[in-house]
Amino acid sequence: MAKSKNDHLQGTLVMLVLKSLEQGAMHGWGITLHIESISNQVLRVEEGSLYPALHRMEQQGWIASEWGMSENNRRARYYRLTAVGKKQLMAEEKNWREIIGAVGLVMSYSPAKG
Amino acid sequence: MGWLRRVASLFRGESVAKEHEEEMRFHLAMREQWNVSKGMEEPEARRNAKVRFGNFNRLRERLREIDMWTLPESIGQDLRFGVRMLRKHSGFTLAAVAALAMGIGLNTVVFTLGKAVFGRGVEAHDADRMVNVSLIGRKGEFNSFFSYPDYEAYRDGAKSFSGVIAERRVTVKLSSAGGAMTQTTTGAGKLAEALLGFKLPRMSTGETEFTTISEISENYFDVLGAKAFRGRIFQAGDRAELVANPSALISENYWEQRFGSDPSVIGRSMKFNGASFTVIGITPRDFTGTGVVTPNFWIPIVSMPLLHPGMQILQDRNNICCRIFARLADGVTMAQAQGEVQGIADRLRTLHDPHSDEAKPSSALIWPGSPFPRKIDSGIVFSASLIMLAVVLVLVIACANVASLQLARAAARQNELSMRRSLGASRARVIRQLLTESVLLAILAGAAALLFAWGLLRVLVVEYADMMPPEWGTVVLHVNPDLTIFAYVLGISVLAGVLFGLAPALESSRSVLGGAMKANQNASPSRSGKLRNALVATQVAVCLVLMITGALLIRGSMHALEVKYEVKRVLNLELGFPDNAKYTKERKLSLAREIRTKIATLPGVVDTSVGRAPDGGGVRVASISTDTKSAAGEAGHPVLFYTYVMPNYFQLINLPVLAGRGFDKNTGAAEPVAMVSQSAAATLWRGENPIGKKIWLSTAGQYHGKDEPLPDSVQYEVVGVVTDAGGTQLDGSDKSQIYLPLPEDSIYQYALLIRTQSDPEPVSESIGSVLAVVDPEVMGYTSTLEEMLHETAPFGVSRCAAAFTTVVGSFGLLLACMGIYGTVSYMVVLRTHEVGIRMALGASRATVLRLMLRESMRPVVTGIGAGLVLAVGASYLLRTLLYGLSALDVISFAGMSMLFLLIAMVAAYFPSRTATLVDPIVALRYE
């Protein structure tokens, strides 16, 4: 399978989805929209690949899904965070903050020039 | 039914793919709408949505892949969890596995045996092409036996067959065989004797032994496609050689049993009925050919004149001897062959004695090869169906048992499942988990059942083979558990287990998301509670039916044993004279006289008489007129049993004479007087005094033997009335019996009855030596009247059925008790909380115990009521086996119901008592 340019975001995609679902149950489109608007259109989810990711997460037991009615009365699949998923989010968030901190340290390092 | 739909949704793999598509299409549509709302033109908005989404079809494939991979992975999870659950609740697991294993195992055994016995065909290469040849007479009578000349006509004339064979089985005397003679008494079945009170008659003569042989056409093995185990076997072209050198084959089974697999048996000369034969080969182990039993020896039909001197079997077209089997030629159908056989049969008919049955018109029937007669005896069919019905009932109990256990456990697991649901497990996932547990349970039960069935079959077959004396040949049954039957039975019980195993999942998945956490421990779902009670009641009802019928059958056979004559100290000796011309009527008579005189002087013998024992074979009937001689042959007269007896018969067997006198003991020639049984007197004169009345008998149209004395055209005066002796007929019709004085010169045709001082055993043993001295060719069959009574067909059937239903009934009882115990135990667990409140409010332990017992006895009492109704129906069906015992025998019905109630109380008592031990503080703390 050809690597898409967004592949390096895969790991963070999971975290972003989990975080979004902390707000409550959402369908895939809602998650896409949520991430886009909160990030001021900076983060753009490759929309199709969101779904395989959601399925894998469901099988991991992090999220659960159920069919429901969307705002405009169409059948849509709603995802919600499970207890296991909450734990996972906490772990990922902690890990991410550590990485951000570490990357920040590296990036802000400037050796004193003699 | 909502739950059905929910179960169905588990299995819709197809619609899962559709859901993926729907989900993604929703996304596309929403993006398009979004684009439009942001001011894009319609076609552009759609194109943009597609581009941003990516390759739709490839994504769909990826979703499918993910689904496919997760299934086996999560099944592994389910399995691990299932094993853990089953191990954790080992009591439940053990009970369910045991119940299912018993039900499945017992059914597999019985149906395997049924198939092995009734479903077997002829043992041949390409057995599907083997057929039986029969003729059906005008009245539907079935004839599968033909004379040898007729056989030759079919063999040489029918082009539809590639081979036609003939067979008949006879018992002959074997002498000069060498080797150690087997002890026949040890072979008699211990199990049969212990369980059924059934003993096979002993054959006795001097030093000769008896053996079954199969007389066969010389092409027999060629047509069946059988090979020799050692040496050689007969072949189609051997006729001349076999006539010149009389030859015999021995079966491997008898070779091993009788001669200890001594290789020098081949080539040895042995005497059959006094004629010398050389053993030229051994047939393979368990080879039964066209029978169900391996004969001990095989001898060609062409040697028949040697075995039965004076009989013209090979030439006499009217001497019916053999069954005919044939192999269809290539491409010929049974219908075509039937047409050709019909033609030959029509031609042969004119050659027969015009008075014989064979000369009457009949139609040919070709049917698939089978060692059994076309129509199996209705008594056997009846008892076989009875047995099968009984084991099916046990399966019903087992399934109901497991179902109620599952339901009870479901209620107890409600909390666990709600918890798992609220932790994010999907409904499908929970259901799959429970399915996995049920299937695991079924697999365990199946494995246990297979072992159980295999063991039981071994034991049964070994015991069964042991029951037959070796001289009768070896019964061959192929009895590995039949896997098709096993799979079928397993399927039924798995289905039952799974169906009820799913109950908790369906119950819990009904609850809405989140709401599940409102874990209420005390509310057992009332719906499954009702179902559980219904299941317990079902078990109780079915089990009670089994127990009542068992009790009825046992009491029926005990009733049958209550005969009014002496059975223990009277021996019955049947004489078998050789079947040849040297034994004339005069010779047989003088031999019979000599034997009687010699036996009368044996120590321990009180007296001897001659006549048919009350339960002996050879019953005869005649129509009886009390009016005029001429009318006896006409229709409308009662048909009663009659028999000839010597004057001291009644005294010898101790049958009380109620009125009048016995026969005059001094007359040599018989006087024209008769005695009648009570029932006969009641039938013929309805309460009038029968003494002095005249009767005429007519045997026209009734069966009788050759040279047998007949009572026709004599006016008999009734001189006495005797007690009913009971007899061999199921319907009790032979209670009515007419006794006629036996002409002294016919005594050789009847059994010799010997009254002994005490134990008849030593007398019975010395009879052999008497026969050997008088004439070693004469065979004697000795048994006590008690043994004969035990051998009568109805007695055997009812005793067998009684033994069987007892065994099956105890399995059923055990299962039902397990069911009651399990259900009550779970009920107690569920109501711990309630009991705690009651006790906190001041209820005493006794009150609580009473409450629990009352609750648990309710379904039991319902079940007993239903069971009683069903049992009335069952006993009506069984009435022919009850020997005159009322089908509504109070002792059986009331006794069994009380017994059952008592056992159920005990089963419910122990778990109920646990409820009273509940500490109210602990119980309430859950709140």
Side-chain angles (χ1 to χ4, degrees), chain A residues 44 47-48 51 59 66 79, chain B residues 23 27 31 52-53 70:
Chain A
R44 293 186 100 177
E47 297 173 23
Y51 290 91
Q59 267 142 20
E66 208 161 35
Y79 294 88
Chain B
E23 186 179 14
H27 186 112
R31 170 61 79 187
R52 294 181 71 144
F53 196 81
T70 46

Side-chain angles (χ1 to χ4, degrees), chain B residues 548-784:
Chain B
I548 288 180
T549 48
L552 277 174
L553 289 170
I554 291 169
R555 280 180 50 77
S557 58
M558 270 159 57
H559 192 73
L561 272 178
E562 290 164 14
V563 289
K564 299 293 191 309
Y565 58 93
E566 173 67 38
V567 290
K568 289 203 193 308
R569 289 181 294 153
V570 181
L571 281 170
N572 179 87
L573 170 65
E574 306 259 355
L575 295 176
F577 297 101
D579 204 5
N580 69 46
K582 280 195 292 176
Y583 284 82
T584 57
K585 201 181 155 189
E586 291 71 30
R587 184 161 174 198
K588 289 187 208 168
L589 180 59
S590 77
L591 282 170
R593 281 179 180 149
E594 194 183 342
I595 290 166
R596 187 182 170 198
T597 318
K598 284 228 158 67
I599 286 177
T601 61
L602 286 174
V605 173
V606 175
D607 198 3
T608 63
S609 183
V610 180
R612 192 183 70 82
D615 279 304
V619 290
R620 299 286 182 270
V621 293
S623 53
I624 317 278
S625 158
T626 51
D627 229 352
T628 59
K629 184 173 151 183
S630 57
E634 287 170 14
H637 289 295
V639 174
L640 300 184
F641 291 82
Y642 74 92
T643 187
Y644 285 100
V645 297
M646 291 210 88
N648 65 344
Y649 176 86
F650 304 102
Q651 191 200 345
L652 188 113
I653 65 166
N654 232 358
L655 193 65
V657 176
L658 297 171
R661 63 172 176 101
F663 294 141
D664 191 341
K665 282 173 194 142
N666 301 319
T667 44
E671 45 175 348
V673 292
M675 295 183 68
V676 295
S677 74
Q678 257 175 309
S679 297
T683 313
L684 294 171
W685 295 285
R686 292 192 185 79
E688 283 179 58
N689 183 7
I691 310 287
K693 297 267 199 258
K694 306 275 190 292
I695 51 170
W696 293 266
L697 286 77
S698 167
T699 58
Q702 308 288 4
Y703 175 83
H704 48 78
K706 217 167 130 191
D707 297 335
E708 192 178 290
L710 293 175
D712 301 60
S713 3
V714 179
Q715 172 191 308
Y716 290 97
E717 185 187 337
V718 178
V719 293
V721 180
V722 291
T723 311
D724 292 345
T728 53
Q729 305 295 308
L730 278 170
D731 54 5
S733 61
D734 55 353
K735 279 198 282 193
S736 298
Q737 187 80 247
I738 312 275
Y739 297 93
L740 304 174
L742 173 69
E744 206 274 338
D745 58 0
S746 295
I747 60 162
Y748 68 96
Q749 297 182 336
Y750 290 84
L752 181 61
L753 298 168
I754 306 152
R755 176 69 182 262
T756 62
Q757 192 85 53
S758 48
D759 183 16
E761 195 64 34
V763 176
S764 149
E765 275 163 15
S766 47
I767 286 173
S769 49
V770 170
L771 293 180
V773 170
V774 176
D775 183 345
E777 301 272 289
V778 176
M779 301 183 208
Y781 304 86
T782 320
S783 46
T784 65

Side-chain angles (χ1 to χ4, degrees), chain B residues 128-184:
Chain B
D128 291 349
R129 302 293 293 166
M130 291 299 300
V131 294
N132 288 45
V133 178
S134 301
L135 295 175
I136 305 172
R138 273 291 146 83
K139 287 183 208 150
E141 67 273 23
F142 217 81
N143 182 23
S144 297
F145 287 82
F146 297 83
S147 68
Y148 190 75
D150 280 1
Y151 157 68
E152 286 182 313
Y154 289 114
R155 182 190 65 193
D156 303 332
K159 299 280 168 286
S160 316
F161 301 128
S162 62
V164 181
I165 54 178
E167 190 215 17
R168 76 167 202 161
R169 300 228 165 169
V170 287
T171 302
V172 295
K173 282 191 295 283
L174 172 69
S175 49
S176 331
M181 204 156 121
T182 39
Q183 195 67 40
T184 58

Side-chain angles (χ1 to χ4, degrees), chain B residues 164-367:
Chain B
V164 181
I165 54 178
E167 190 215 17
R168 76 167 202 161
R169 300 228 165 169
V170 287
T171 302
V172 295
K173 282 191 295 283
L174 172 69
S175 49
S176 331
M181 204 156 121
T182 39
Q183 195 67 40
T184 58
T185 39
T186 51
K190 291 159 289 187
L191 179 80
E193 237 178 284
L195 208 62
L196 314 173
F198 182 87
K199 222 169 155 188
L200 295 157
R202 286 180 302 280
M203 301 188 192
S204 53
T205 63
E207 69 282 343
T208 42
E209 46 190 309
F210 294 91
T211 196
T212 47
I213 62 164
S214 189
E215 293 177 330
I216 51 174
S217 54
E218 59 282 357
N219 61 349
Y220 189 78
F221 297 105
D222 285 339
V223 173
L224 289 179
K227 301 266 177 296
F229 169 68
R230 294 264 181 92
R232 57 196 184 84
I233 49 179
F234 310 140
Q235 268 156 6
D238 287 354
R239 188 183 173 120
E241 198 205 320
L242 290 171
V243 171
N245 307 306
S247 308
L249 304 177
I250 186 171
S251 72
E252 201 272 347
N253 303 58
Y254 196 60
W255 177 62
E256 189 221 305
Q257 203 176 5
R258 168 69 176 74
F259 297 101
S261 304
D262 177 1
S264 75
V265 166
I266 298 181
R268 192 182 287 181
S269 175
M270 295 181 190
K271 282 190 171 157
F272 294 93
N273 281 358
S276 292
F277 285 80
T278 308
V279 176
I280 60 167
I282 302 172
T283 54
R285 184 165 192 84
D286 293 347
F287 176 74
T288 56
T290 51
V292 276
V293 170
T294 50
N296 296 336
F297 293 96
W298 310 81
I299 284 176
I301 291 180
V302 292
S303 301
M304 261 204 238
L306 294 171
L307 291 174
H308 316 282
M311 286 179 80
Q312 300 291 312
I313 293 172
L314 296 184
Q315 293 81 33
D316 185 356
R317 191 171 294 280
N318 292 312
N319 197 331
I320 306 306
C321 66
C322 314
R323 279 187 88 179
I324 295 184
F325 301 85
R327 181 178 288 282
L328 290 173
D330 286 339
V332 176
T333 65
M334 278 199 237
Q336 288 166 337
Q338 192 161 309
E340 195 186 7
V341 167
Q342 182 71 61
I344 299 174
D346 289 339
R347 193 162 47 74
L348 292 174
R349 184 167 307 127
T350 59
L351 303 174
H352 278 273
D353 176 359
H355 300 295
S356 68
D357 284 346
E358 282 66 38
K360 292 178 188 153
S362 59
S363 45
L365 180 72
I366 301 296
W367 46 290

